[in-house]
Amino acid sequence: MAAFPALNLHYLLHTTPKPSNVKTPRRLSIRCSDDNPYGKWRGIIPGDGMAYNSECGVLFPENAYRISNTFVPPPRPRRIILVRHGQSEGNVDESAYTRIPDSKIALTEQGWHEAVETGNRIRELVERDGADDWQVYFYASPYKRTLQSLRGIGMAFERQRIAGVREEPRLREQDFGFRETLRADIDIGRFQPPGARSKFMNLVLVSHGLTLRVFLMRWYKWTVEQFERLHNFGNAGMLVMQTGSGGRYSLLVHHSPEELKAFGMTDEMLVDQSWQKTARPGELNYDWMTSGPSFFTHFDENCCGGDSCRVPPDISQVHTDHSSSNPEQQQFGPNKHMFNNSEKLT
């Protein structure tokens, strides 16, 4: 962040004439990055390579590279590694939640050792790439047990191997908005500065079991029924999303089908993960119509015998007696008039 004000000061003092079709912003403000990397850019200040939006006068130093003639998209991180926190006080004694705020629940001694071991496993995993320039970048829930797990995992890495850490409130327990944040960060290459980027960056998300499962559900667009089949992560357990040959993230690159079935994934979900292994970013799986079983059953000849009036077997057969119901409420039932005939329409 310290370098960005200097860049903007350089722009303000720069004397190179601006083209007539580029308006000088009335008010300048500093931002770390554009959260919408595909915004409408109006021009580049000559000599500076600085991009700005002439409508709001906001400079985005990182995104100057996106609209220059020499722009090269940042490489996607090699992996997104999802890690649940180690064993906590609440995992051992649920009554701890009645005495301690959820955000203050700490790891147990066993949970600390689990986190350290997971850090070693992550290091072994990324070193298999055989690259010299690999690094890890951490996102962590702000809860005490996840931050302590982060410290334990970090024991496996030297300072130069850690590209950065971001405490992310949207990774906390039962907060599910992180997917959009991560996609934007990947698009703008937040993890590495321009000119020093590597395809061997590895992201580690240290969070909570439910939050990580919802993250997967939203990333891969699984249905609620498919989500409910999934088992929780074990303490300090991890799941690896890794880029396949086309550049998309698939769970089948690192994990076996047997491992994913044990996690609760269905055959249909595995078929989609197999497609993800070779697909490219931006491509859609058109053979995956509903990302799960069909929502409609009337196409099945065995269902209701093709009779649209027959009630499907999974519909409750409980009889409803309307004789004791409020007659005014019945006006809005099926095949009833929208309004009572005695009322005037105004």
Side-chain angles (χ1 to χ4, degrees), residues 13-195:
L13 298 177
H14 199 66
T15 57
T16 302
K18 303 175 180 59
S20 58
N21 63 335
V22 177
K23 299 179 181 179
T24 302
R26 296 180 179 179
R27 178 179 57 85
L28 296 175
S29 61
I30 308 301
R31 288 184 58 181
C32 179
S33 67
D34 176 16
D35 289 334
N36 178 16
Y38 299 104
K40 295 181 179 179
W41 298 110
R42 302 302 184 188
I44 306 176
I45 303 302
D48 291 275
M50 295 282 293
Y52 75 94
N53 186 328
S54 62
E55 294 178 348
C56 61
V58 178
L59 297 176
F60 303 111
E62 300 98 319
N63 279 321
Y65 298 90
R66 300 192 63 86
I67 58 176
S68 67
N69 294 331
T70 59
F71 168 69
V72 177
R76 300 190 110 201
R78 175 72 167 145
R79 299 175 183 87
I80 303 174
I81 304 173
L82 313 182
V83 181
R84 185 190 176 197
H85 59 78
Q87 184 191 74
S88 69
E89 296 171 301
N91 297 138
V92 175
D93 178 13
E94 291 189 358
S95 68
Y97 292 102
T98 66
R99 306 185 305 272
I100 308 171
D102 190 6
S103 61
K104 301 299 183 183
I105 295 288
L107 289 185
T108 64
E109 184 176 344
Q110 176 179 327
W112 170 260
H113 292 303
E114 289 172 342
V116 172
E117 176 58 28
T118 296
N120 293 330
R121 290 170 56 200
I122 293 175
R123 179 168 189 133
E124 291 175 4
L125 171 63
V126 299
E127 284 184 334
R128 293 176 196 166
D129 292 330
D132 295 328
D133 59 346
W134 65 265
Q135 285 185 304
V136 290
Y137 187 102
F138 293 96
Y139 289 89
S141 159
Y143 282 21
K144 186 173 184 178
R145 56 188 179 274
T146 45
L147 293 177
Q148 290 175 330
S149 297
L150 171 70
R151 284 163 43 202
I153 294 169
M155 297 290 290
F157 304 98
E158 301 85 2
R159 183 185 298 272
Q160 65 270 22
R161 292 297 186 183
I162 299 177
V165 180
R166 182 173 175 182
E167 184 180 287
E168 178 51 67
R170 281 175 284 192
L171 276 177
R172 63 188 175 183
E173 190 80 89
Q174 300 191 35
D175 197 331
F176 311 128
F178 180 66
R179 171 184 170 273
E180 288 72 21
T181 298
L182 185 61
R183 282 191 177 275
D185 285 357
I186 290 175
D187 284 339
I188 66 175
R190 178 185 295 277
F191 324 106
Q192 303 168 99

Side-chain angles (χ1 to χ4, degrees), residues 240-290:
V240 180
M241 303 164 58
Q242 185 166 322
T243 51
S245 59
R248 291 178 73 105
Y249 293 102
S250 171
L251 297 171
L252 272 177
V253 176
H254 177 75
H255 299 282
S256 68
E258 291 72 26
E259 288 177 313
L260 297 180
K261 283 187 176 181
F263 179 49
M265 293 179 62
T266 64
D267 289 336
E268 292 83 3
M269 297 163 78
L270 293 178
V271 169
D272 182 61
Q273 289 299 311
S274 181
W275 175 84
Q276 302 274 355
K277 287 178 64 175
T278 58
R280 294 176 297 178
E283 291 183 345
L284 299 176
N285 187 354
Y286 291 101
D287 295 328
W288 192 242
M289 183 176 66
T290 61

